[in-house]
Structure formats: structure tokens, C-alpha cells
Amino acid sequence: MPDAADSSPRRYFGDLFKRQIFGLQDYSTLVYHTLIDAFTPPFYATDVLTQMDVIGVGSLPIVLLTSFFMGAVMVLQTSAQFSRFGETSLTGDAVALALVRELGPSITGLLVAGRNGSGIASELGSMVVTEQVDAMRALGTDPLRKLVTPRVIATFLTLPLLTLVSDFVGLCGGYVMASVMLHLSASEFWNRAIKALAVGDLVQGMVKPLVFALLVSTISCYFGLRVRGGTEGVGRATTTAVVASSVSILVVNFFITRVMLSVFPN
């Protein structure tokens, strides 16, 4: 006869595993229906434009500020080593490769996850708690098509643009610091930075924000629509959405990098 102390932990972890599997199934269903809705009418173009303004334009100041100082810090960290070996001209190469390949997409994705992922989860969660989502269903409106799809499309369109801005502003910050610390001219820095980037680097830098956009928007919407327990549930869903989005960005970034380095080894 099994011991109760042995069966209790087993039952707990078994139930936890089942909940995770069912949650992954629900999330996959949401992503599937959202992608289908994105290419079938009716379309909510006004909602998409509104969300693009909230996500894209609203995130621009924090992306600009963060990217500029991110590029400047990179030069500060590497200037001592470059000066030591007399290769200060390589500063442009290092900053360009690091920003376009990794820092630009990853940091921008994390910023959007923190700023807009939390907003999406809390907004949808509040609509669930106040029964607005149930009212939409009663009126014959599909909540996924009306609430989720516009946010996913808007994030998918704006995050790559924010990443491009982040890369350029980061390079500008790196140039300013390189000209002050290492006395590099504009031609030295920018020529090296542009020549250092290959097609594989640009492809990698653009594929990542597209994947990150899908992850951040769908995960945030998923946890927002699963809110239970009133206002406390909204807070928990918001926190969970940001954490899950940020972790998924870092994990998926590893696999994308591995694949891209295999496809573009040089």
C-alpha cells in the first residue's frame, strides 16, 4: 500500500505537469487562431493603428535613451583593451556586430515586454474581470479577433522598426564615446562599422525581433485573458506575462543564434 507522504508530492507534481501541458495547449490554440484571424476578414485596421501608436511611438523614448547609452557603455568597456593593443579602429566593428546581432534585438524586445507586455496583460485582464470580454461574446464579436489580433499585428510591425532605431542610435552613442575616448574620426568609425556587417548579421538582426514580437504579444494576451480572482489576479497575470515574455526572449534568442550561425557561418 503506497505511503500517503509519497503519494502527495507525486500527485502535486503530476497535477503541476498537467496544468503546464494544458496551458501550453491553450497558448498554442490562441496563437493558431490569432494567425488565422490576421489573414481573414473582418479586419480591425483602426485598432491595429491605435496599438501601433501605443506600442511603437510610445516605446520610442525609452528605446532611444537606452540604446544610446548602451552603445556608449560598449565603447567604455572595450576602449581600454583596444588601446592596449593599438587597435582602436576595431571599435566600430565591435559595436556594430554586438548591436545588430544581439543587443539591439534582445534589449529592445525586453523593453517592449516590460513596457507593453505588462500593459497588454493588465488591460485585457481588467476587461475579463469587468466582464467586458463576456459582453463581446454575447454581442457576437470574437474577442481574439478584436482584442488579440490587432495587438499581435501591431507588435509584429513595430518591434523590427524599433530594433532598427535601436541599432542606429546605439551606433551613434558608440561613435560619440569613441570620438571622445579614442579620438576616432567619423570616417574611421562608420566605415569600419558598416564594412563589419555581413548579410548574415543583418538577417539575424531582423529575424529575432519578428520572433520576439510574436512571443511578447501572444504571451501577454494569453495571460491577460486567463485572469481569475479579480484585481489581484490582474496583478499576478501582469507580472507573469512580463516574466514569461522576458524568459522566452532569452531562451529563444539562444536557439535563433545557433541556427543563424549554422546558416551564415562567416
Side-chain angles (χ1 to χ4, degrees):
M1 184 176 181
D3 190 283
D6 295 333
S7 61
S8 180
R10 208 180 317 152
R11 189 184 308 114
Y12 171 78
F13 287 109
D15 293 342
L16 179 62
F17 179 75
K18 290 178 182 177
R19 287 196 298 269
Q20 297 302 320
I21 294 299
F22 290 148
L24 181 61
Q25 179 182 357
D26 292 341
Y27 172 72
S28 301
T29 302
L30 181 142
V31 174
Y32 172 76
H33 286 295
T34 300
L35 295 178
I36 295 298
D37 292 342
F39 296 99
T40 56
F43 302 107
Y44 295 94
T46 303
D47 294 337
V48 173
L49 293 175
T50 301
Q51 293 302 319
M52 288 180 67
D53 177 66
V54 173
I55 298 171
V57 179
S59 301
L60 199 56
I62 189 173
V63 169
L64 292 175
L65 184 65
T66 303
S67 302
F68 182 87
F69 285 101
M70 181 170 59
V73 166
M74 286 184 59
V75 174
L76 282 176
Q77 292 286 359
T78 58
S79 60
Q81 299 301 321
F82 285 135
S83 300
R84 178 181 176 185
F85 295 103
E87 294 290 348
T88 55
S89 60
L90 293 176
T91 304
D93 302 56
V95 175
L97 290 173
L99 283 174
V100 174
R101 282 184 174 184
E102 288 296 333
L103 293 179
S106 299
I107 297 299
T108 305
L110 292 173
L111 290 174
V112 172
R115 181 187 181 277
N116 300 108
S118 59
I120 291 173
S122 62
E123 184 178 0
L124 296 185
S126 299
M127 296 181 70
V128 170
V129 170
T130 56
E131 300 181 351
Q132 296 181 51
V133 175
D134 293 334
M136 293 178 64
R137 290 194 182 96
L139 294 173
T141 302
D142 184 2
L144 291 182
R145 186 182 293 275
K146 174 67 175 176
L147 300 176
V148 177
T149 303
R151 288 167 171 79
V152 173
I153 295 175
T155 309
F156 194 79
L157 294 175
T158 55
L159 188 55
L161 298 178
L162 288 172
T163 301
L164 289 174
V165 173
S166 174
D167 293 340
F168 176 72
V169 174
L171 284 170
C172 291
Y175 163 67
V176 170
M177 192 55 58
S179 64
V180 173
M181 298 285 297
L182 305 176
H183 306 291
L184 288 180
S185 65
S187 60
E188 286 181 296
F189 182 88
W190 289 104
N191 286 335
R192 295 291 307 218
I194 293 173
K195 291 180 180 179
L197 297 174
V199 175
D201 303 321
L202 300 177
V203 172
Q204 185 178 164
M206 284 294 98
V207 168
K208 288 182 178 181
L210 294 175
V211 178
F212 296 163
L214 182 64
L215 289 173
V216 171
S217 57
T218 53
I219 289 174
S220 302
C221 291
Y222 170 73
F223 283 106
L225 292 175
R226 290 182 73 241
V227 167
R228 299 292 183 274
T231 55
E232 292 183 0
V234 174
R236 287 193 300 268
T238 301
T239 303
T240 306
V242 174
V243 172
S245 300
S246 301
V247 171
S248 65
I249 286 174
L250 297 176
V251 173
V252 172
N253 178 59
F254 168 79
F255 292 102
I256 296 177
T257 302
R258 186 67 185 90
V259 171
M260 286 297 174
L261 290 179
S262 300
V263 176
F264 302 100
N266 296 322

mmCIF file of all heavy atoms in Angstrom, residues 6 9 14 52 54 57 135 137 174 178 204 233 266:
data_model
loop_
_atom_site.group_PDB
_atom_site.id
_atom_site.type_symbol
_atom_site.label_atom_id
_atom_site.label_comp_id
_atom_site.label_asym_id
_atom_site.label_seq_id
_atom_site.Cartn_x
_atom_site.Cartn_y
_atom_site.Cartn_z
ATOM 1 N N ASP A 6 4.388 9.729 0.294
ATOM 2 C CA ASP A 6 4.998 9.572 -1.020
ATOM 3 C C ASP A 6 4.039 9.965 -2.130
ATOM 4 O O ASP A 6 4.433 10.524 -3.144
ATOM 5 C CB ASP A 6 5.456 8.127 -1.225
ATOM 6 C CG ASP A 6 6.573 7.746 -0.259
ATOM 7 O OD1 ASP A 6 7.298 8.653 0.150
ATOM 8 O OD2 ASP A 6 6.682 6.550 0.080
ATOM 9 N N PRO A 9 3.438 14.298 -2.733
ATOM 10 C CA PRO A 9 4.311 15.045 -3.648
ATOM 11 C C PRO A 9 4.160 14.589 -5.091
ATOM 12 O O PRO A 9 4.201 15.401 -6.019
ATOM 13 C CB PRO A 9 5.714 14.753 -3.118
ATOM 14 C CG PRO A 9 5.522 14.339 -1.713
ATOM 15 C CD PRO A 9 4.207 13.643 -1.686
ATOM 16 N N GLY A 14 2.498 15.830 -10.378
ATOM 17 C CA GLY A 14 1.724 15.346 -11.514
ATOM 18 C C GLY A 14 0.680 16.350 -11.957
ATOM 19 O O GLY A 14 0.515 16.608 -13.152
ATOM 20 N N MET A 52 -0.345 50.278 -32.772
ATOM 21 C CA MET A 52 0.978 50.654 -33.296
ATOM 22 C C MET A 52 1.460 51.954 -32.674
ATOM 23 O O MET A 52 2.655 52.120 -32.382
ATOM 24 C CB MET A 52 0.935 50.777 -34.817
ATOM 25 C CG MET A 52 0.807 49.449 -35.546
ATOM 26 S SD MET A 52 0.762 49.620 -37.346
ATOM 27 C CE MET A 52 2.425 50.217 -37.660
ATOM 28 N N VAL A 54 0.518 53.047 -29.680
ATOM 29 C CA VAL A 54 0.811 52.776 -28.270
ATOM 30 C C VAL A 54 2.128 52.035 -28.123
ATOM 31 O O VAL A 54 2.974 52.384 -27.291
ATOM 32 C CB VAL A 54 -0.341 51.972 -27.637
ATOM 33 C CG1 VAL A 54 0.024 51.526 -26.222
ATOM 34 C CG2 VAL A 54 -1.620 52.796 -27.620
ATOM 35 N N VAL A 57 5.261 54.119 -31.095
ATOM 36 C CA VAL A 57 5.595 55.501 -30.731
ATOM 37 C C VAL A 57 5.772 55.625 -29.224
ATOM 38 O O VAL A 57 6.666 56.339 -28.748
ATOM 39 C CB VAL A 57 4.492 56.455 -31.234
ATOM 40 C CG1 VAL A 57 4.820 57.894 -30.848
ATOM 41 C CG2 VAL A 57 4.336 56.338 -32.739
ATOM 42 N N ALA A 135 -19.254 40.208 -22.529
ATOM 43 C CA ALA A 135 -20.239 41.027 -23.241
ATOM 44 C C ALA A 135 -19.961 41.031 -24.746
ATOM 45 O O ALA A 135 -20.898 40.999 -25.558
ATOM 46 C CB ALA A 135 -20.213 42.452 -22.696
ATOM 47 N N ARG A 137 -18.596 38.582 -26.440
ATOM 48 C CA ARG A 137 -19.054 37.286 -26.951
ATOM 49 C C ARG A 137 -20.582 37.265 -27.086
ATOM 50 O O ARG A 137 -21.123 36.717 -28.057
ATOM 51 C CB ARG A 137 -18.610 36.164 -26.008
ATOM 52 C CG ARG A 137 -17.114 35.901 -26.004
ATOM 53 C CD ARG A 137 -16.809 34.578 -25.317
ATOM 54 N NE ARG A 137 -15.382 34.312 -25.260
ATOM 55 C CZ ARG A 137 -14.614 34.584 -24.220
ATOM 56 N NH1 ARG A 137 -15.147 35.138 -23.128
ATOM 57 N NH2 ARG A 137 -13.327 34.314 -24.249
ATOM 58 N N GLY A 174 27.896 54.909 -29.529
ATOM 59 C CA GLY A 174 29.250 54.380 -29.583
ATOM 60 C C GLY A 174 30.210 55.317 -30.271
ATOM 61 O O GLY A 174 31.364 55.478 -29.828
ATOM 62 N N ALA A 178 33.467 56.963 -28.724
ATOM 63 C CA ALA A 178 34.734 56.633 -29.379
ATOM 64 C C ALA A 178 35.490 57.887 -29.799
ATOM 65 O O ALA A 178 36.726 57.940 -29.716
ATOM 66 C CB ALA A 178 34.484 55.742 -30.591
ATOM 67 N N GLN A 204 20.071 38.007 -39.207
ATOM 68 C CA GLN A 204 19.914 37.626 -37.800
ATOM 69 C C GLN A 204 19.291 38.751 -36.994
ATOM 70 O O GLN A 204 18.428 38.515 -36.142
ATOM 71 C CB GLN A 204 21.279 37.247 -37.221
ATOM 72 C CG GLN A 204 21.223 36.728 -35.810
ATOM 73 C CD GLN A 204 22.587 36.307 -35.290
ATOM 74 O OE1 GLN A 204 22.774 36.133 -34.082
ATOM 75 N NE2 GLN A 204 23.540 36.137 -36.189
ATOM 76 N N GLY A 233 -5.835 39.052 -9.339
ATOM 77 C CA GLY A 233 -5.490 38.217 -10.482
ATOM 78 C C GLY A 233 -4.887 39.020 -11.617
ATOM 79 O O GLY A 233 -4.005 38.528 -12.330
ATOM 80 N N ASN A 266 29.991 32.512 -41.729
ATOM 81 C CA ASN A 266 31.015 33.547 -41.901
ATOM 82 C C ASN A 266 30.457 34.936 -41.682
ATOM 83 O O ASN A 266 31.079 35.898 -42.103
ATOM 84 C CB ASN A 266 31.624 33.448 -43.310
ATOM 85 C CG ASN A 266 32.346 32.131 -43.503
ATOM 86 O OD1 ASN A 266 32.995 31.639 -42.591
ATOM 87 N ND2 ASN A 266 32.215 31.551 -44.685
#
